[in-house]
Amino acid sequence: KGAITETAVAFAPEMDAEITYRHMLEMALRDAIAGGAIDVFYQPLVDVSGKRVLGVEALARWTDATLGPISPDIFIPLAEETGLIQSIGEHVLDRAIRDAKAWSGISVAVNVSASQIHHGDVVEVVRQALEASQFPAERLEIEITESVLLADEKRANEQMRGLQALGVKVALDDFGTGYSSLQYLRRFGFDKLKIDRSFLDGAGEPPESSVILASIIRLGQDLDLTIVAEGVETREQQRWLQAAGCDQLQGYLFSRPLPVAQMTEFIASRQIA
Ligand code: C2E
Ligand code: CA
Ligand code: CA
Ligand code: CA
């Protein structure tokens, strides 16, 4: 009995500190959203030769004046838990299609969280954003992860069809990290498959370690999907993915995520080359 009391006392300050930090972060995130301090960076998706920019992925960025830069892996889950993801999502979408308007012929991909699909009307949000900016729907892609499909399949399917009816493409992100990815691929009509970067460890290595990656690519080809490899960091990986039949590559080898002005320069430099 005494031990339990001691444990409870010993843990209390730590938990307090954690709750306080979380609360502070949430308040700071609210301020950042209200003050327009959530930025959008862009990372190129290139063809397998690495020479042509085919698209960009919009990635949210937040640097707090006192806390410094906060990783999306921290603030996106926090935004999902607090409902703030709805306004971040709309902000990123608006910003991205306005910025991408100048990049003719290049598509722009925006990440959408499960909670946006299940607690909001993403189809309506996207429809209005496209209308307001006069951005061609064919150049917009929405990236969702398997978690979207897990919660409520019917809702997920409706929203996905709704987006595709607008002319928007839908990509399955982080492919291979979930539990039922293969089933979902068959059941939902995705346009694009983004293979999670954890599979890339095998690319360029001895054949045994690239067997899974090769079969994922073949499966994607059989289903007529555009296949993207994310997290490409080496020439060996690029060469291997090119030979294996990948359609698009994304990763630090080509570029880190960049602010809009630098992305514009990057696209211009690649189009001349
Ligand atoms: P994600 O959608 O899988 O985005 C790709 C992540 O991989 C990005 O991290 C990107 O910077 C990183 N990355 C790209 N190339 C490489 C590489 O060669 N090596 C390595 N190690 N990493 C690479 P980031 O920007 O930190 O974003 C993390 C996650 O946060 C994203 O993963 C996405 O799930 C989420 N996220 C970011 N922005 C948004 C947003 O606007 N809305 C939503 N719902 N989620 C977002
Ligand atoms: Ca993504
Ligand atoms: Ca991903
Ligand atoms: Ca991810």
Side-chain angles (χ1 to χ4, degrees):
K1 193 178 175 189
I4 292 171
T5 314
E6 261 175 50
T7 310
V9 170
F11 271 84
E14 248 179 64
M15 279 172 61
D16 258 12
E18 215 174 286
I19 292 165
T20 308
Y21 178 72
R22 212 192 105 93
H23 185 70
M24 183 202 52
L25 210 59
E26 184 188 332
M27 293 302 130
L29 184 57
R30 278 183 199 281
D31 285 350
I33 295 167
I38 301 296
D39 243 319
V40 182
F41 276 34
Y42 300 95
Q43 188 179 33
L45 280 78
V46 299
D47 72 340
V48 285
S49 76
K51 292 199 176 102
R52 246 164 42 90
V53 182
L54 303 173
V56 296
E57 177 175 5
L59 294 159
R61 289 292 178 268
W62 173 32
T63 301
D64 182 80
T66 46
L67 302 168
I70 319 271
S71 162
D73 289 325
I74 303 287
F75 75 81
I76 294 291
L78 179 68
E80 287 168 348
E81 287 159 29
T82 52
L84 293 170
I85 193 67
Q86 302 289 352
S87 45
I88 293 182
E90 287 180 31
H91 169 70
V92 172
L93 176 70
D94 277 337
R95 190 71 268 152
I97 57 184
R98 279 171 209 283
D99 287 344
K101 244 185 136 173
W103 303 327
S104 70
I106 286 173
S107 62
V108 62
V110 173
N111 293 285
V112 165
S113 297
S115 59
Q116 289 173 264
I117 298 265
H118 296 292
H119 302 299
D121 189 347
V122 170
V123 178
E124 190 49 28
V125 168
V126 168
R127 196 190 60 72
Q128 284 180 18
L130 289 173
E131 196 178 84
S133 64
Q134 290 296 301
F135 188 80
E138 300 71 34
R139 279 172 56 204
L140 178 64
E141 292 173 4
I142 297 296
E143 297 191 1
I144 63 174
T145 60
E146 201 185 291
S147 61
V148 172
L149 313 174
L150 278 171
D152 178 349
E153 250 185 56
K154 191 164 163 278
R155 170 89 185 157
N157 218 341
E158 280 167 8
Q159 291 276 303
M160 214 175 124
R161 302 284 167 201
L163 289 169
Q164 288 172 326
L166 294 175
V168 172
K169 304 239 174 5
V170 183
L172 180 56
D173 201 359
D174 299 350
F175 181 76
T177 53
Y179 293 105
S180 338
S181 305
L182 288 176
Q183 283 186 45
Y184 287 128
L185 259 197
R186 261 194 307 129
R187 216 160 341 140
F188 294 84
F190 287 98
D191 301 289
K192 195 169 199 174
L193 188 63
K194 296 189 84 174
I195 304 170
D196 192 72
R197 67 167 176 268
S198 56
F199 289 97
L200 253 66
D201 297 339
E205 298 290 315
E208 314 85 70
S209 41
S210 21
V211 164
I212 294 180
L213 186 55
S215 52
I216 291 175
I217 293 169
R218 243 185 335 266
L219 175 76
Q221 288 170 332
D222 288 345
L223 293 171
D224 249 337
L225 302 170
T226 303
I227 308 154
V228 188
E230 323 184 79
V232 181
E233 293 181 353
T234 68
R235 288 279 165 223
E236 291 68 43
Q237 290 174 335
Q238 180 190 356
R239 272 193 288 272
W240 191 93
L241 291 161
Q242 182 167 23
C246 246
D247 299 302
Q248 303 184 1
L249 308 177
Q250 180 180 359
Y252 296 163
L253 178 63
F254 310 103
S255 171
R256 297 211 165 230
L258 302 171
V260 57
Q262 279 173 257
M263 192 64 227
T264 300
E265 279 175 35
F266 185 90
I267 290 169
S269 70
R270 292 296 165 122
Q271 274 168 345
I272 295 159

